[in-house]
Amino acid sequence: MQKHGNTTRGKSTTLHQICNLIPPHLVAKLAREHGSVKDARSYSHWSHIVTLIYAQVSHCTSLNDVCDGLQLHTGPLSAIRGAVAPFKNTLSHANKERPAALAEALFWSMLTHLQTQAPRFGGGPFKGRLKNLRRNIHLIDSTTIELIAQCMPWAKHRRRKAAAKAHVRLDLASYLPGFVLIDSAREHDNKRARELCAGLNSGEIVVADRGYVDQEHFRELHERGVIWVTRWKENLVGDLIERRPVPAGGKILEDAVVALTNGQAARRITALVEVDGQEREMIFLTNQMEWSASTIVALYQSRWSIETFFKELKQNFQVADFLGNSANAVRWQVWMA
């Protein structure tokens, strides 16, 4: 903004502006709820949160980077509600010992707060074929975060590799998570499917990749009135019950009702789908029997939004170089991202 020929510049840093979005006393309240107050005599939970936000926005890759950077700017840092710069050992201890559940609670509290302040925070109405679906659409998938096996034995999942995995249920309308589970990468995705879908209500839609295919879980979702859409898995077996007519010359090649091995009737749709500029034949599976086959295909295609979400998370936030080797420290950093 210019006034009388002079440029007026704001004195608030990006870090200050981000931290000001957090309601006063929220962090202290969460620390009390998680029984972590006694571990914050000289280095408060608020300073800890500000430090980890700084690590994100500045893309620091080590404890030294974070601590040295903040020690050089103690003046502007203290203006952020009295935050102080940590020493290396202090920050390392906080990441290891303070419960990462506090960071998780802060994330959900902030999401609720921001959506209260701006009801359309994070997104808008659906586009294309899905714009007439007045239902909540959830996308579930996981992303693997590579770690160092020598330093993080708790995360080993292959002979010489270690990794954490973030299982996410993404709200398609807001493009924000509705549920997140951060754990080691040992377990197969379908072992976490029930936790991801536990909060879904009748009439809502969940779209999942083949990794989450579990016939008994799908039966439970169907009985709860939840609509599910996924890809056909190679080892699935389905006896043909009915073959439905499809338009000639279109993208839908087959529309059939099959009986799965658990006795549940499901709809199997074969269609040509454009992927990376080329058409590929894909087979989809759903318990929704009434909607057009093209709507089911469009629903599954919407699942690719979560792949974009993961890509943006890894490219724009610090979830590659970790400030600690413990599972708790990794969870702190991922939740802050």
Side-chain angles (χ1 to χ4, degrees):
M1 180 180 70
Q2 291 187 346
K3 186 176 181 180
H4 302 299
N6 295 324
T7 301
T8 303
R9 295 182 179 179
K11 296 181 180 179
S12 179
T13 63
T14 300
L15 178 63
H16 199 158
Q17 293 177 54
I18 294 173
C19 293
N20 277 346
L21 294 172
I22 302 175
H25 312 301
L26 173 60
V27 173
K29 174 188 173 185
L30 294 176
R32 289 193 299 270
E33 291 176 355
H34 288 82
S36 185
V37 176
K38 61 182 180 180
D39 190 35
R41 294 169 187 163
S42 60
Y43 185 54
S44 69
H45 286 83
W46 173 247
S47 294
H48 188 197
I49 295 295
V50 173
T51 298
L52 293 178
I53 294 176
Y54 168 80
Q56 288 295 327
V57 298
S58 60
H59 287 269
C60 292
T61 59
S62 69
L63 290 171
N64 285 334
D65 284 348
V66 177
C67 298
D68 291 348
L70 289 176
Q71 291 287 350
L72 291 172
H73 299 92
T74 54
L77 183 62
S78 65
I80 307 176
R81 301 180 199 165
V84 299
F87 294 104
K88 179 179 175 181
N89 289 341
T90 304
L91 178 56
S92 177
H93 182 270
N95 288 340
K96 182 179 180 181
E97 299 297 334
R98 293 180 181 177
L102 193 157
E104 179 180 355
L106 176 62
F107 173 83
W108 296 119
S109 297
M110 283 303 304
L111 181 56
T112 301
H113 171 70
L114 293 172
Q115 288 178 328
T116 301
Q117 297 294 313
R120 293 184 65 179
F121 170 77
F126 301 133
K127 298 178 181 179
R129 294 192 60 87
L130 303 182
K131 64 182 180 182
N132 294 323
L133 287 181
R134 301 184 182 277
R135 299 169 184 259
N136 293 330
I137 302 176
H138 306 273
L139 318 174
I140 64 172
D141 205 350
S142 67
T143 185
T144 301
I145 304 167
E146 293 186 9
L147 303 174
I148 303 172
Q150 293 91 335
C151 302
M152 304 178 181
W154 58 268
K156 281 189 177 180
H157 75 114
R158 291 180 183 174
R159 186 176 178 182
R160 296 182 180 178
K161 292 186 177 182
K165 187 177 281 189
H167 300 267
V168 176
R169 188 181 77 221
L170 193 72
D171 186 319
L172 183 60
S174 67
Y175 199 59
L176 289 168
F179 182 88
V180 180
L181 178 67
I182 302 169
D183 207 345
S184 65
R186 291 190 189 98
E187 290 190 316
H188 194 272
D189 286 349
N190 62 15
K191 301 294 183 183
R192 297 299 191 179
R194 284 178 171 81
E195 293 170 86
L196 284 170
C197 299
L200 300 185
N201 300 313
S202 178
E204 295 187 321
I205 303 168
V206 60
V207 185
D209 194 13
R210 287 179 293 189
Y212 290 95
V213 170
D214 181 332
Q215 291 191 45
E216 289 308 314
H217 180 228
F218 285 160
R219 180 201 291 274
E220 294 169 13
L221 290 175
H222 182 73
E223 291 172 351
R224 285 164 46 192
V226 176
I227 298 167
W228 51 263
V229 178
T230 187
R231 287 268 306 277
W232 182 268
K233 207 172 182 181
E234 291 180 359
N235 62 355
L236 279 178
V237 177
D239 294 328
L240 182 64
I241 297 175
E242 174 192 357
R243 198 182 301 276
R244 297 181 172 185
V246 297
K251 303 292 184 181
I252 305 301
L253 306 180
E254 183 189 49
D255 187 355
V257 178
V258 298
L260 302 178
T261 53
N262 66 351
Q264 181 183 3
R267 191 174 172 194
R268 185 179 64 195
I269 297 168
T270 305
L272 293 174
V273 180
E274 186 174 324
V275 180
D276 297 329
Q278 295 184 341
E279 285 192 339
R280 289 175 50 193
E281 185 176 309
M282 292 186 177
I283 305 175
F284 306 95
L285 192 66
T286 181
N287 64 333
Q288 168 48 248
M289 301 293 187
E290 304 300 327
W291 296 346
S292 68
S294 56
T295 297
I296 302 301
V297 174
L299 273 170
Y300 189 85
Q301 287 180 300
S302 72
R303 195 200 67 82
W304 294 330
S305 295
I306 198 171
E307 303 287 358
T308 305
F309 175 82
F310 289 145
K311 184 177 180 180
E312 292 177 352
L313 178 68
K314 290 183 176 181
Q315 287 183 345
N316 299 333
F317 299 95
Q318 194 62 28
V319 288
D321 298 297
F322 287 90
L323 305 179
N325 296 331
S326 68
N328 194 71
V330 170
R331 287 190 174 95
W332 262 106
Q333 196 162 332
V334 175
W335 277 113
M336 293 309 298

